[in-house]
Amino acid sequence: TTVLKLTNLVKSYDRQTTVLDGINLELQEGEFVSIIGKSGAGKSTLLRCINRMIEPSSGTILFNNTSLTKLNKRELRKERTKIGMIFQHYNLVSRLTVFENVLHGRFGYKSSLKGILGIYSEEEKLLALQILDKLGMKEHIYKRCDQLSGGQKQRVGIARALVQEPTLLLCDEPIASLDPNASKVIMDHLKEISQSMGITVLVNLHQVDVAMRYSDRIIGLSKGEKVFDGKPKNLTQHN
Ligand code: ADP
Ligand code: ADP
């Protein structure tokens, strides 16, 4: 099943420069796909155009047979819940606990921040707890996020995305701020998510070796153009 289909996606931030120059890309259910390319190639722009966090200049985005480019803001917000996003700098609310960050990911702030846990239902809390447990974070749920290591913060980021029950997970340089051990933990979790949950994972990486090890498929981006799209084993001749 096709989860995402990009057709002729173009992005210019200004008249002079085209950052994405007509990207065509189709992703299947449960695929693990990495985007590699030098700094400035357009990886982050491409990822952020998919959920219209950045507005593409032209082209179409078909997500599970819904054209995201045609939606108004309200309709888009609804579709976006099915597209999880993970960031290099985690984007957590540091003064809130792990549990609160994850619940907020799906259910939003229902009232003031004081006593935030009391406003969520038992089902909502159970789902968040199950996901945090799977990511090895159960013993940390009442810690504030600013007390966590980088690797732990990123696992909270993953949990916050998963609690929305997405079909597509977009990961923008998820291990760029982590040491090798924490990087391996995060990549192993992302791989597991694609394999056992059937979620399509699209991840920006600048480490080619990591992309080679984990990906079903690699997209090579250079100056806003797709210059490679294939299996890791076929990449070597292009380096
Ligand atoms: P990558 O993720 O591969 O490093 P980016 O998508 O971040 O690449 O950037 C691609 C190009 O777009 C770069 O030349 C960058 O300077 C430019 N760019 C990124 N964001 C903006 C912006 N908000 N305004 C103008 N130019 C931008
Ligand atoms: P990682 O390799 O995952 O980044 P660290 O070496 O940064 O791990 O952290 C190891 C342990 O130290 C973790 O259990 C984390 O909870 C704790 N820790 C890291 N930073 C802080 C901090 N600022 N305050 C309290 N505990 C911290």
Side-chain angles (χ1 to χ4, degrees), residues 3 17 41 88 149 153 186 195 199 221:
V3 170
T17 47
Q88 175 178 354
S149 71
K153 282 179 187 165
I186 295 303
Q195 286 182 328
I199 296 173
L221 212 59

Side-chain angles (χ1 to χ4, degrees), residues 86-92 153-154 172-174 176-177:
I86 293 172
F87 304 91
Q88 175 178 354
H89 299 294
Y90 326 115
N91 292 17
L92 304 173
K153 282 179 187 165
Q154 195 57 293
D172 196 5
E173 300 283 1
S177 302

Side-chain angles (χ1 to χ4, degrees), residues 37-153:
K38 289 192 192 130
S39 183
K43 302 183 296 296
S44 181
T45 301
L46 175 57
L47 219 66
R48 283 157 199 252
C49 278
I50 290 172
N51 65 359
R52 288 179 53 194
M53 189 177 225
I54 292 176
E55 283 295 347
S57 305
S58 63
T60 59
I61 305 161
L62 209 61
F63 171 64
N64 290 330
N65 295 320
T66 302
S67 174
L68 296 190
T69 27
K70 291 210 179 82
L71 302 182
N72 65 34
K73 282 270 175 272
R74 190 181 54 84
E75 296 165 326
L76 180 63
R77 208 173 306 135
K78 186 162 156 275
E79 284 302 315
R80 266 188 186 152
T81 63
K82 298 295 162 205
I83 306 177
M85 188 115 196
I86 293 172
F87 304 91
Q88 175 178 354
H89 299 294
Y90 326 115
N91 292 17
L92 304 173
V93 183
S94 55
R95 69 183 182 284
L96 295 183
T97 65
V98 167
F99 204 28
E100 289 165 340
N101 266 277
V102 172
L103 283 164
H104 172 228
R106 169 151 173 171
F107 307 108
Y109 292 111
K110 293 185 181 176
S111 67
S112 73
L113 296 180
K114 253 190 195 155
I116 190 174
L117 286 183
I119 60 186
Y120 295 107
S121 72
E122 290 308 310
E123 289 96 322
E124 288 168 344
K125 289 190 225 179
L126 191 62
L127 177 65
L129 213 51
Q130 282 168 340
I131 290 167
L132 281 163
D133 190 22
K134 229 186 209 162
L135 293 165
M137 290 297 292
K138 202 170 179 176
E139 68 204 273
H140 303 296
I141 61 167
Y142 295 119
K143 281 189 186 167
R144 278 171 57 134
C145 282
D146 53 12
Q147 312 249 293
L148 304 174
S149 71
Q152 292 170 334
K153 282 179 187 165

Side-chain angles (χ1 to χ4, degrees), residues 179-191:
D179 64 37
N181 289 331
S183 295
K184 183 177 183 308
V185 170
I186 295 303
M187 291 303 295
D188 286 347
H189 280 304
L190 293 177
K191 185 74 180 176

